[in-house]
Amino acid sequence: MIERCDRAGLAAVDQAGLSALPEAMRALDEAALDTMAAVLRRAGLFRPGVSHRADQVLDRLRVADRHRWIVRGWVRALVRHGRLQASADGAVLRDLSPAPATPAPLPELCARLGYPPEVATFFTSAAARLPELLRDEVTLQSVLFGADSTETADGVYRENVINSYLNAALVEVLRGTLPPAPRVLELGAGVGATAVPVLTSLTGPLEYLFTDVSRYFLDTAGELLSADGRVRFGELDINEPASHTVDAGSCDAVIAANVLHNAIDVNAVLTTARSWLRPGGLLLVVESCGELLQAAVSMQLLMSPAPGRPAAGSLDLRAGEDRIFLTRDEWVTALRDNGLSPVLDLPHPDHPLSALGQLLLVATPTTPGATR
């Protein structure tokens, strides 16, 4: 199955430019580091001969409490990449590297990575407004969904090379394993970036439960998919058991694309997802893995907890680490630890597409419906 799904994914993308993806991703990381450093300079931080502690950096920027984890991550990234110097104990920071002579060509880099022009515009707009975004004076939703449009979100989640590959591979998994008239549940279905290719490709009888925590996404998806009588819509928060109205053992497949990193406790969410699967059912997870520096100056602002709410990862292995994404190995371990047996993970770590930091994991219950 792995080879068949990999071939389906590769057939969905232009393979001519794949070898250039790792270098383009490194350049996008460098652009993100430039953005982080520029925000610090604009606040008057790290002038020649002046040092600061990390808490002083956060205070100078007036970062909202819920976003402070993001800027702490910036500081670690700048130190790790040699853009900022730290004392031996890491407490004192100094010598921020000078600004680049030429700004990074974001439109060109995004194009090389298969993103549409709207994504480069979003990255540029987010960078320009980062101080306000960090202070919670502006929401990233207003930048991402300007003029009430989903075009930028479509570019981030659907219209790019890695998501084209992952969606095609995911569809091939379903095509080869689902029984007749299956029941499929999607968690955090968002703009329909996964639902649309699945529903387009699987043309037979099907019950598709499109769920999200956001009423905005459900209303938008309703307009997009209302003509397909196989689709039902409902609110579901992966972190709120009271919102889970799915019967145990009722689903042939559960899809979670770019949503599980929002789990307060990934173990609890995986256990619940497993309980919804019938014997032999499949959990299909699309996730970012590891450090994504461009996300740290854009999309991560959507991942900060609402005021008064616990942070994602605060009850699992990410607790106290100021990070949102699990690594590939951590995902595989988490699946196994919660009664799920991994059967596929793509793209292969040695493939150029892996440089984009996203993967498809497929697992089946080892103990269907069991609890931890």
Side-chain angles (χ1 to χ4, degrees), residues 38-217:
V39 172
L40 302 184
R41 289 192 202 94
R42 283 156 57 188
L45 291 159
F46 300 109
R47 291 191 175 95
V50 178
S51 61
H52 302 281
R53 298 188 312 273
D55 60 329
Q56 292 175 321
V57 173
L58 295 166
D59 291 343
R60 178 72 67 86
L61 294 173
R62 292 188 286 132
V63 181
D65 286 346
R66 71 191 192 100
H67 294 317
R68 291 170 81 90
W69 70 279
I70 293 176
V71 179
R72 287 194 295 264
W74 290 8
V75 169
R76 289 195 302 273
L78 289 166
V79 170
R80 186 167 57 254
H81 290 272
R83 301 290 195 96
L84 185 64
Q85 301 304 310
S87 59
D89 61 1
V92 179
L93 306 162
R94 57 180 173 77
D95 296 339
L96 184 65
S97 60
T102 305
L106 273 178
E108 176 189 332
L109 292 175
C110 288
R112 286 165 58 191
L113 291 165
Y115 290 106
E118 292 84 3
V119 172
T121 300
F122 163 65
F123 287 157
T124 301
S125 299
R129 307 202 71 174
L130 270 172
E132 300 159 273
L133 289 163
L134 291 169
R135 294 192 296 265
D136 260 350
E137 296 170 355
V138 175
T139 68
L140 192 68
Q141 288 90 333
S142 67
V143 180
L144 183 60
F145 300 111
D148 200 32
S149 169
T150 63
E151 288 182 357
T152 302
D154 285 342
V156 172
Y157 293 117
R158 182 183 3 220
E159 298 168 3
N160 58 77
V161 65
I162 186 60
N163 280 295
S164 295
Y165 170 89
L166 294 172
N167 280 336
L170 183 149
V171 166
E172 189 63 24
V173 172
L174 296 176
R175 199 197 317 270
T177 58
L178 286 181
R183 190 172 197 249
V184 178
L185 165 65
E186 184 174 0
L187 308 174
V191 296
T194 301
V196 169
V198 169
L199 292 164
T200 301
S201 300
L202 304 180
T203 55
L206 170 73
E207 182 182 6
Y208 198 96
L209 308 180
F210 185 109
T211 71
D212 201 279
V213 69
S214 165
R215 192 71 246 173
Y216 171 83
F217 284 137

Side-chain angles (χ1 to χ4, degrees), residues 326-340:
L326 282 72
T327 67
R328 178 189 292 257
D329 289 344
E330 287 171 342
W331 275 118
V332 171
T333 298
L335 291 168
R336 288 176 174 151
D337 287 349
N338 291 283
L340 290 151

Side-chain angles (χ1 to χ4, degrees), residues 336-352:
R336 288 176 174 151
D337 287 349
N338 291 283
L340 290 151
S341 177
V343 296
L344 176 152
D345 63 301
L346 288 171
H348 189 276
D350 294 333
H351 195 279

Side-chain angles (χ1 to χ4, degrees), residues 239-323:
N239 290 311
E240 289 290 345
S243 75
H244 301 168
T245 57
V246 182
D247 292 334
S250 64
C251 298
D252 296 290
V254 174
I255 299 171
N258 295 299
V259 63
L260 292 190
H261 57 259
N262 292 310
I264 295 168
D265 181 354
V266 74
N267 298 301
V269 174
L270 288 175
T271 295
T272 300
R274 188 193 71 221
S275 75
W276 292 329
L277 290 170
R278 294 175 178 146
L282 294 176
L283 173 64
L284 302 99
V285 176
V286 174
E287 268 298 336
S288 298
C289 53
E291 183 180 59
L292 299 174
L293 294 180
Q294 187 58 49
V297 291
S298 56
M299 297 300 290
Q300 280 189 8
L301 286 148
L302 290 177
M303 302 168 194
S304 293
R309 294 278 295 168
S314 57
L315 296 179
D316 61 34
L317 75 165
R318 296 167 291 170
E321 294 188 3
D322 289 333
R323 64 180 175 117

